[in-house]
Amino acid sequence: PPPPPHSPPTRRSSDLYAMKKSKLTAFALAAAMLLPSQLLAEKYVIDTEGSHAFIQFRIQHLGYSWLSGRFNTFSGNFEYDENNPDKASVQVEIDVASIDSNHAERDKHLRGDDFLDVKKFPKASFESTSFKENGDGTAILKGNLTLHGVTKPVTIDIEHIGHGPDPWGGYRRGFEGTTRIALADYDINYNLGEKSKEVELTLSIEGIRQ
């Protein structure tokens, strides 16, 4: 006759259960060991809503002075793990029509086909490919910058600014990055003079941990 409903499992079913449990435990341990460390990285959204992030530029004007400006509209995120900083990553997208040099007629010219041609190329973007700490609060970030329909590798010098809790119960991390790009590398060939062939970019980034 069949065993009572609440009788203990037979040795065969007990052994099978133990084998399954052992395999599951082994699989879980193996999966934990194989998980990429990037999954442990802290994820941050760049705080553009609170205007705690800026993408600024400057270029020489005729070799006599510096002309400065910024992009008012952009978004992005980054990941960072203090125990494995080499796995850090950054992604940013910029609305190039939001360029602002504090002069309406000049900005109209910059949006046109002599420069950014925003109707044809409305977005610029950056996606990192590597991140290397220098051990002194600075780092080297490399990635691909897409601008004016052209994608080129760029190297950005990074300075860690700080991190910690904010007054609203969140956690923030910030850094600043600087780089230089040649306009001709991105097929922008308008003649601004010999000393105005490169643009300096500064990225002041503050992210909110998710």
Side-chain angles (χ1 to χ4, degrees), residues 58-67 180 192 195-200:
R58 71 173 192 162
I59 186 170
Q60 286 204 29
H61 179 241
L62 304 176
Y64 305 144
S65 63
W66 287 98
L67 185 154
R180 297 170 67 96
L192 292 169
K195 292 188 176 181
S196 305
K197 293 183 176 181
E198 291 188 333
V199 179
E200 295 183 5

Side-chain angles (χ1 to χ4, degrees), residues 1-23:
H6 301 292
S7 62
T10 64
R11 180 175 180 180
R12 182 177 179 182
S13 63
S14 178
D15 290 346
L16 183 60
Y17 172 78
M19 288 176 62
K20 287 182 177 179
K21 184 177 180 181
S22 177
K23 287 181 179 179

Side-chain angles (χ1 to χ4, degrees), residues 119-197:
K119 290 184 178 179
K120 189 174 182 180
F121 308 108
K123 301 293 182 182
S125 63
F126 173 81
E127 185 166 355
S128 64
T129 55
S130 69
F131 185 85
K132 188 68 176 178
E133 295 276 13
N134 294 325
D136 59 356
T138 66
I140 301 295
L141 175 67
K142 294 184 178 182
N144 293 316
L145 174 65
T146 299
L147 175 67
H148 198 238
V150 179
T151 301
K152 292 279 187 180
V154 296
T155 298
I156 301 175
D157 295 319
I158 297 295
E159 178 186 359
H160 289 284
I161 304 302
H163 63 95
D166 63 26
W168 308 282
Y171 192 94
R172 294 172 181 254
R173 183 180 295 273
F175 61 88
E176 183 172 88
T178 57
T179 190
R180 297 170 67 96
I181 62 171
L183 293 175
D185 285 348
Y186 294 89
D187 292 341
I188 300 173
N189 297 302
Y190 192 86
N191 185 11
L192 292 169
E194 191 64 29
K195 292 188 176 181
S196 305
K197 293 183 176 181

Side-chain angles (χ1 to χ4, degrees), residues 61-119:
H61 179 241
L62 304 176
Y64 305 144
S65 63
W66 287 98
L67 185 154
S68 299
R70 65 185 186 181
F71 292 95
N72 290 328
T73 305
F74 63 96
S75 61
N77 58 79
F78 63 90
E79 296 187 5
Y80 186 81
D81 176 9
E82 289 187 349
N83 295 319
N84 198 353
D86 289 354
K87 294 296 183 181
S89 63
V90 183
Q91 296 84 35
V92 177
E93 185 175 87
I94 304 166
D95 176 5
V96 293
S98 70
I99 192 168
D100 181 357
S101 68
N102 198 34
H103 190 283
E105 286 302 312
R106 178 171 54 226
D107 292 343
K108 182 179 178 180
H109 190 199
L110 292 175
R111 294 184 187 107
D113 54 15
D114 281 339
F115 291 98
L116 296 172
D117 199 357
V118 301
K119 290 184 178 179

